[in-house]
Amino acid sequence: MSNSVAIVEPPIVVFDGSFEGWLTAVFAVYENHWQHAQIISIIAEHDFLPNLWQTTFVVKSDVDKAKRVSHKLKSVFGNNGFRQLLWAFLSEQPTVYGHLFGVVRYQLACPDVNVWQDYTHTDVMPVLKLIKMVGRERHRMQAFVRFEHMEQDVYFARVEPDFNVLPLLSNHFKNRYADQSWAIFDVKRGYGIFYDKDDPNAEVQLITDVDENALVRPHDFHSEYEKKYQHLWQKYFTHVTIKERKNPKLHIQYLPRRYWKYLTEKNLF
Amino acid sequence: MNYDRLKDKLAILADAAKYDVSCSSSGGNRKNHNKGLGDSSVSGICHSYTEDGRCVSLLKILFTNHCIYDCAYCTSRRSHDTPRAAFTVEEVVDLTMQFYRRNYIEGLFLSSGIFKSPDYTMERLVRVAKELRTIHKFNGYIHLKTIPGASDELMQEAGLYADRLSVNMEIPTKSGLALLAPEKNHDDMKAPMKTVQEQIVVFKESRKQHKHAPKYTPAGQSTQFIVGATKETDLQIIRLSSHFYKQYDLKRVYYSGYVPMLTDSRLPAIGTPVPMVRENRLYQADWLMRFYGFEAEEILPSDSPFLDLDCDPKLAWAIRHRQHFPVNIQTAPYKMIVRIPGIGTRTAKKIVTARKFTTLTLDHLKQMGAAVNRAKYFIALRGRNEHLVHLTQDNFRQYILAQTQTKFKDERHGQLTLF
């Protein structure tokens, strides 16, 4: 090889944890010709523990660079493939950023290959697994979100998903609840999405700030009939069980305990 | 609306509906086109799970549990001393809307005991669906029971508002039905299925002409068999299911292990265990017919009319047909790959794609989701597969069953704990 610079082991690339930051990191790797190195480490700031013998390269999120990279990635992966990358990214797993880079590098090197079909590839396989996990969590949230009707005529739900799936839920809930105002708040990550039925643009907005009390004691804000429908639902839930077939192990397998906190039917009062 | 009375009704009419196992909300493709409420998810969504591990996708209730019939297997039978109740159309509509708004459910599954007459009953079920669709702009999933004997006009209207229609055959054999429900017969129950099937064809044709012609039961029809209330064999059940899939184009057949809850000399005694393993094996056999390209005749040879409770029907088939194995995963066609025990349709598809890139190993198969503990005895790899030596041995079946775990072990040995 003529270009010996590329063989030198590159530093650890540290980015701010945002998707934009990761795209900028990908830009930086190619800009510095590190892409041929066997191991490329891309790590989010909050996962990074500095030590003495590794050099680091800190990337600052850059809108223009991120745009150039996402444009390029969309052209080689297609819109669907690009969305796959984002899904895996939302898993927030410390190792995902490096594997994602591996997939990107593979696709850029072999533009004619559908890399997603190479199930046994060392970067494709873990990324596909994460996509599946994120997809499953998204589906669970579509199922387990429980709205409570508030005085202000807003249907409000609290969630704590394992992965950061709220951005993947807007469309589903917007299509479903077009005629009611609703909000879903991720208590763990401190942000939520909000839809106002009277908004002429019918857009889902990001919200970061809600009344603390509504998060802790939502029943203080309930509309007149809310409690009654919660009771009816609980009644229904208890009565559809065939007690001769009770199977607690299966129940918990399908409805893991960590989701019970916000499930109306599992909080009999 | 009297809230306390509504609560009692809900308890009675959910209790009476729970033996209907269908809770599927998949296959619907209704879109929220009118800025109304609801949008069907093609895959269906299970919003919760009962303590017996069944999915809760729909608000599944009877309109009423008053019934003019006296079918021995049914909790709503005329002669059963049980509290009776009936909803009003308005109550069912309100519960559906309010539950849906809170994301508890995907929609409504409305069945009913037959009060006064089939038409009188069907008319009410149709009215619920019609009001939800037209007055409340509800685009969620609606599954209605078709009441045998109801007029064709009502059936036609039902299909315009519902995503799925169903009639439960319940008892798979004619002799069983004659014993337990002498007032009914199979032909009367099949008649509405035929009507619905014909309507589906008619509406499909008209949609080819006019894109905006209405859809008729877009998620198709289903039915249910009770398993273990009479002396029917698995072979009879599987053949009957196959008949329904082929002749009536059904989307699903459900199998419901009989839960003894009524004292009757014609029925298994109270306390008889629910045949859950048998029910599970029937579902596995059903899947083989619908997704794995198996014919009913392949699943059970006519000289052994019951499914093997110790191993799943695909493994049982493979053990009986060892001449087809080992299957070379690097070269075999898809339809043979899905016949390998431990490999499902998804893994089979992945194998067919991934093998273009690499030579597959057992480890790869594991990563792709195969149950290698079973599959390894049936496949040829490019390298050596040491597990293949067992395939030709006489005690192959016993060997494999000893090596593989089943979640039903306790139940097979009569130690099923119910509570």
Side-chain angles (χ1 to χ4, degrees), chain B residues 340-388:
Chain B
I340 302 170
I343 292 181
T345 51
R346 280 185 200 191
T347 309
K349 277 176 200 147
K350 282 186 188 168
I351 288 171
V352 175
T353 319
R355 69 188 181 187
K356 293 177 200 153
F357 293 86
T358 18
T359 300
L360 298 172
T361 63
L362 283 182
D363 196 43
H364 286 147
L365 291 188
K366 200 173 179 176
Q367 301 269 17
M368 287 191 273
V372 171
N373 64 342
R374 263 171 289 152
K376 67 186 175 190
Y377 300 108
F378 297 95
I379 55 179
L381 302 155
R382 203 152 277 176
R384 204 177 96 81
N385 178 1
E386 66 204 86
H387 305 287
L388 282 180

Coordinates of all heavy atoms in Angstrom, one line a residue, chain B residues 340-388:
Chain B
I340 N -36.7 -28.6 8.4 CA -35.7 -29.0 9.4 C -36.2 -28.7 10.8 O -36.5 -27.5 11.1 CB -34.3 -28.4 9.2 CG1 -33.8 -28.6 7.8 CG2 -33.3 -28.8 10.2 CD1 -32.6 -27.8 7.4
P341 N -36.3 -29.6 11.7 CA -36.7 -29.3 13.1 C -35.8 -28.2 13.7 O -34.6 -28.3 13.5 CB -36.5 -30.6 13.9 CG -36.6 -31.7 12.8 CD -36.0 -31.1 11.6
G342 N -36.4 -27.3 14.4 CA -35.6 -26.2 15.0 C -35.4 -25.0 14.1 O -34.7 -24.1 14.6
I343 N -35.8 -25.1 12.9 CA -35.6 -23.9 12.0 C -37.0 -23.4 11.6 O -37.8 -24.2 11.0 CB -34.8 -24.3 10.8 CG1 -33.3 -24.5 11.3 CG2 -34.8 -23.2 9.8 CD1 -32.4 -24.9 10.2
G344 N -37.3 -22.2 11.9 CA -38.6 -21.6 11.6 C -38.5 -20.9 10.3 O -37.5 -20.8 9.6
T345 N -39.6 -20.3 9.9 CA -39.7 -19.6 8.6 C -38.7 -18.4 8.5 O -38.1 -18.2 7.5 CB -41.1 -19.1 8.3 OG1 -41.5 -18.3 9.4 CG2 -42.0 -20.3 8.0
R346 N -38.6 -17.7 9.6 CA -37.7 -16.5 9.5 C -36.2 -16.9 9.4 O -35.5 -16.4 8.6 CB -37.8 -15.7 10.8 CG -39.0 -14.8 10.8 CD -39.0 -13.9 12.0 NE -40.4 -13.5 12.2 CZ -40.7 -12.5 13.0 NH1 -39.8 -12.0 13.8 NH2 -42.0 -12.1 13.1
T347 N -35.8 -17.9 10.2 CA -34.4 -18.4 10.1 C -34.2 -19.0 8.8 O -33.1 -18.7 8.2 CB -34.2 -19.4 11.2 OG1 -34.6 -18.8 12.5 CG2 -32.7 -19.7 11.3
A348 N -35.2 -19.7 8.2 CA -35.0 -20.3 6.9 C -34.7 -19.3 5.9 O -33.8 -19.4 5.0 CB -36.2 -21.2 6.6
K349 N -35.5 -18.2 5.9 CA -35.2 -17.1 5.0 C -33.9 -16.5 5.1 O -33.2 -16.2 4.1 CB -36.3 -16.0 5.1 CG -37.6 -16.4 4.4 CD -38.7 -15.3 4.7 CE -40.1 -16.0 4.4 NZ -41.1 -15.5 5.2
K350 N -33.4 -16.3 6.4 CA -32.1 -15.7 6.6 C -31.0 -16.7 6.1 O -30.1 -16.2 5.5 CB -31.9 -15.5 8.1 CG -32.5 -14.3 8.7 CD -32.1 -14.1 10.1 CE -32.9 -13.0 10.8 NZ -32.7 -13.0 12.2
I351 N -31.2 -18.0 6.3 CA -30.2 -18.9 5.8 C -30.1 -18.8 4.3 O -29.0 -18.8 3.7 CB -30.7 -20.4 6.2 CG1 -30.5 -20.6 7.7 CG2 -29.9 -21.4 5.4 CD1 -31.1 -21.9 8.2
V352 N -31.2 -18.8 3.6 CA -31.2 -18.8 2.1 C -30.4 -17.5 1.6 O -29.8 -17.5 0.6 CB -32.6 -18.8 1.6 CG1 -32.6 -18.7 0.1 CG2 -33.2 -20.2 2.0
T353 N -30.6 -16.4 2.4 CA -29.9 -15.2 2.0 C -28.4 -15.2 2.4 O -27.5 -14.9 1.6 CB -30.5 -13.9 2.6 OG1 -31.9 -14.1 2.6 CG2 -30.2 -12.7 1.9
A354 N -28.2 -15.6 3.6 CA -26.8 -15.4 4.2 C -25.8 -16.4 3.5 O -24.7 -16.2 3.5 CB -26.8 -15.7 5.7
R355 N -26.3 -17.5 3.1 CA -25.4 -18.5 2.5 C -24.8 -18.1 1.2 O -23.8 -18.7 0.7 CB -26.1 -19.9 2.3 CG -27.2 -19.9 1.2 CD -28.0 -21.2 1.3 NE -29.0 -21.3 0.2 CZ -29.9 -22.3 0.1 NH1 -29.9 -23.3 1.0 NH2 -30.8 -22.3 -0.8
K356 N -25.3 -17.0 0.6 CA -24.7 -16.5 -0.6 C -23.4 -15.8 -0.2 O -22.5 -15.6 -1.0 CB -25.6 -15.4 -1.3 CG -26.9 -16.0 -1.9 CD -27.7 -14.9 -2.5 CE -29.2 -15.4 -2.6 NZ -30.1 -14.3 -2.5
F357 N -23.3 -15.3 1.0 CA -22.1 -14.6 1.5 C -21.1 -15.5 2.1 O -19.9 -15.2 2.0 CB -22.5 -13.5 2.5 CG -23.4 -12.4 2.0 CD1 -24.7 -12.5 1.9 CD2 -22.8 -11.2 1.5 CE1 -25.5 -11.5 1.4 CE2 -23.5 -10.2 1.0 CZ -24.9 -10.3 1.0
T358 N -21.5 -16.5 2.8 CA -20.6 -17.3 3.6 C -21.0 -18.8 3.6 O -22.1 -19.1 3.3 CB -20.5 -16.9 5.1 OG1 -21.7 -16.2 5.4 CG2 -19.2 -16.2 5.5
T359 N -20.0 -19.6 4.0 CA -20.3 -21.0 4.3 C -20.8 -21.0 5.7 O -20.1 -20.6 6.7 CB -19.1 -21.8 4.2 OG1 -18.6 -21.7 2.8 CG2 -19.4 -23.3 4.5
L360 N -22.0 -21.5 5.9 CA -22.6 -21.4 7.2 C -22.2 -22.5 8.2 O -21.9 -23.7 7.8 CB -24.2 -21.5 7.1 CG -24.8 -20.4 6.3 CD1 -26.3 -20.7 6.0 CD2 -24.6 -19.0 7.0
T361 N -22.0 -22.1 9.5 CA -21.6 -23.1 10.5 C -22.8 -23.2 11.5 O -23.7 -22.4 11.5 CB -20.4 -22.6 11.2 OG1 -20.7 -21.3 11.9 CG2 -19.2 -22.3 10.3
L362 N -22.7 -24.1 12.4 CA -23.7 -24.3 13.4 C -23.8 -23.0 14.3 O -24.9 -22.6 14.7 CB -23.4 -25.5 14.4 CG -23.7 -26.9 13.8 CD1 -23.4 -27.9 14.8 CD2 -25.2 -27.0 13.4
D363 N -22.7 -22.4 14.5 CA -22.7 -21.1 15.3 C -23.4 -20.0 14.6 O -24.2 -19.3 15.2 CB -21.2 -20.7 15.5 CG -21.2 -19.7 16.6 OD1 -21.8 -19.9 17.6 OD2 -20.4 -18.7 16.5
H364 N -23.3 -19.9 13.3 CA -24.0 -19.0 12.5 C -25.5 -19.2 12.6 O -26.3 -18.3 12.8 CB -23.7 -19.1 11.0 CG -22.3 -18.5 10.6 ND1 -21.5 -19.0 9.7 CD2 -21.7 -17.4 11.2 CE1 -20.4 -18.3 9.6 NE2 -20.5 -17.3 10.5
L365 N -25.9 -20.5 12.5 CA -27.3 -20.8 12.6 C -27.9 -20.4 14.0 O -29.0 -19.9 14.1 CB -27.5 -22.4 12.5 CG -27.3 -23.0 11.1 CD1 -27.7 -24.4 11.1 CD2 -28.0 -22.2 10.0
K366 N -27.1 -20.6 15.0 CA -27.5 -20.2 16.3 C -27.8 -18.7 16.4 O -28.8 -18.2 16.9 CB -26.4 -20.6 17.3 CG -26.9 -20.7 18.8 CD -25.9 -21.3 19.6 CE -26.3 -21.4 21.1 NZ -25.4 -22.0 21.9
Q367 N -26.8 -18.0 15.8 CA -26.9 -16.5 15.8 C -28.1 -16.0 15.0 O -28.7 -15.0 15.3 CB -25.6 -15.9 15.2 CG -24.3 -16.3 15.8 CD -24.0 -15.3 16.9 OE1 -24.8 -14.5 17.3 NE2 -22.7 -15.3 17.3
M368 N -28.5 -16.8 14.0 CA -29.6 -16.4 13.2 C -31.0 -16.8 13.8 O -32.0 -16.6 13.3 CB -29.5 -17.0 11.8 CG -28.4 -16.2 11.0 SD -28.5 -16.7 9.3 CE -27.4 -18.1 9.3
G369 N -30.9 -17.5 15.0 CA -32.1 -17.8 15.7 C -32.6 -19.2 15.6 O -33.7 -19.6 16.1
A370 N -31.8 -20.2 15.0 CA -32.3 -21.5 15.0 C -32.1 -22.2 16.3 O -31.3 -21.8 17.1 CB -31.4 -22.3 13.9
A371 N -33.0 -23.2 16.6 CA -32.8 -24.0 17.8 C -31.8 -25.2 17.4 O -32.2 -26.2 17.0 CB -34.1 -24.6 18.2
V372 N -30.5 -24.9 17.5 CA -29.5 -25.8 17.1 C -29.5 -27.1 17.8 O -29.2 -28.1 17.2 CB -28.1 -25.1 17.2 CG1 -27.0 -26.0 16.9 CG2 -28.1 -23.9 16.2
N373 N -30.0 -27.1 19.0 CA -30.0 -28.4 19.8 C -30.9 -29.4 19.1 O -30.7 -30.6 19.2 CB -30.5 -28.1 21.2 CG -31.9 -27.6 21.3 OD1 -32.5 -27.1 20.3 ND2 -32.6 -27.7 22.4
R374 N -31.9 -29.0 18.3 CA -32.6 -30.0 17.5 C -32.1 -30.0 16.1 O -32.0 -31.1 15.5 CB -34.1 -29.5 17.4 CG -35.0 -30.3 18.5 CD -36.4 -29.6 18.5 NE -36.3 -28.3 19.2 CZ -37.2 -27.3 18.9 NH1 -38.1 -27.5 18.0 NH2 -37.1 -26.2 19.5
A375 N -31.8 -28.9 15.5 CA -31.5 -28.8 14.1 C -30.2 -29.6 13.7 O -30.1 -30.2 12.7 CB -31.3 -27.4 13.6
K376 N -29.3 -29.6 14.7 CA -28.0 -30.2 14.4 C -28.0 -31.7 14.0 O -27.1 -32.2 13.3 CB -27.0 -30.0 15.6 CG -27.4 -30.8 16.8 CD -26.5 -30.4 18.0 CE -27.0 -31.1 19.3 NZ -26.3 -30.7 20.5
Y377 N -29.1 -32.4 14.4 CA -29.1 -33.8 14.0 C -29.6 -34.0 12.6 O -29.7 -35.2 12.1 CB -30.1 -34.6 15.0 CG -29.6 -34.5 16.4 CD1 -30.3 -33.7 17.3 CD2 -28.5 -35.2 16.8 CE1 -29.9 -33.6 18.6 CE2 -28.1 -35.1 18.1 CZ -28.8 -34.3 19.0 OH -28.3 -34.2 20.3
F378 N -30.0 -32.9 11.9 CA -30.7 -33.1 10.6 C -30.0 -32.4 9.5 O -30.6 -32.4 8.4 CB -32.2 -32.6 10.7 CG -33.0 -33.4 11.7 CD1 -33.1 -33.0 13.0 CD2 -33.6 -34.6 11.3 CE1 -33.9 -33.7 13.9 CE2 -34.4 -35.3 12.2 CZ -34.5 -34.9 13.5
I379 N -28.9 -31.7 9.7 CA -28.4 -30.9 8.6 C -26.9 -31.3 8.2 O -26.2 -31.8 9.0 CB -28.3 -29.4 9.0 CG1 -27.6 -29.2 10.3 CG2 -29.7 -28.9 9.1 CD1 -27.5 -27.8 10.7
A380 N -26.7 -31.2 6.9 CA -25.3 -31.4 6.4 C -24.7 -30.0 6.2 O -25.3 -29.1 5.7 CB -25.4 -32.1 5.1
L381 N -23.5 -29.9 6.7 CA -22.7 -28.7 6.6 C -21.6 -28.9 5.6 O -21.3 -30.1 5.2 CB -22.1 -28.3 7.9 CG -23.1 -28.1 9.1 CD1 -22.4 -28.3 10.4 CD2 -23.7 -26.7 9.0
R382 N -20.9 -27.9 5.2 CA -19.8 -28.1 4.3 C -18.7 -28.8 5.0 O -18.0 -29.7 4.5 CB -19.3 -26.8 3.7 CG -18.6 -27.0 2.4 CD -18.6 -25.7 1.5 NE -19.8 -25.7 0.7 CZ -20.2 -24.7 -0.1 NH1 -19.4 -23.6 -0.1 NH2 -21.3 -24.7 -0.7
G383 N -18.5 -28.5 6.3 CA -17.6 -29.2 7.1 C -18.2 -30.5 7.7 O -19.4 -30.8 7.3
R384 N -17.5 -31.2 8.6 CA -18.1 -32.4 9.2 C -19.1 -32.1 10.2 O -19.0 -31.1 11.0 CB -16.9 -33.2 9.8 CG -17.2 -34.7 10.0 CD -15.9 -35.3 10.6 NE -16.0 -35.4 12.0 CZ -16.7 -36.4 12.6 NH1 -17.3 -37.3 11.9 NH2 -16.8 -36.5 13.9
N385 N -20.2 -32.8 10.3 CA -21.2 -32.6 11.4 C -21.3 -33.9 12.2 O -21.9 -34.9 11.8 CB -22.6 -32.3 10.8 CG -23.6 -32.1 11.9 OD1 -23.3 -32.2 13.1 ND2 -24.8 -31.8 11.5
E386 N -20.6 -33.9 13.3 CA -20.5 -35.1 14.1 C -21.8 -35.6 14.7 O -21.9 -36.8 15.1 CB -19.5 -34.8 15.3 CG -20.1 -33.8 16.3 CD -19.0 -33.1 17.1 OE1 -18.5 -32.0 16.6 OE2 -18.8 -33.5 18.2
H387 N -22.8 -34.7 14.7 CA -24.1 -35.1 15.3 C -24.9 -36.0 14.4 O -25.9 -36.6 14.8 CB -24.9 -33.9 15.6 CG -24.2 -32.9 16.5 ND1 -24.0 -33.2 17.9 CD2 -23.6 -31.7 16.3 CE1 -23.3 -32.2 18.4 NE2 -23.1 -31.3 17.4
L388 N -24.5 -36.1 13.1 CA -25.3 -36.9 12.1 C -25.2 -38.4 12.4 O -26.1 -39.1 11.9 CB -24.8 -36.6 10.7 CG -25.3 -35.2 10.2 CD1 -24.8 -35.0 8.7 CD2 -26.8 -35.2 10.2

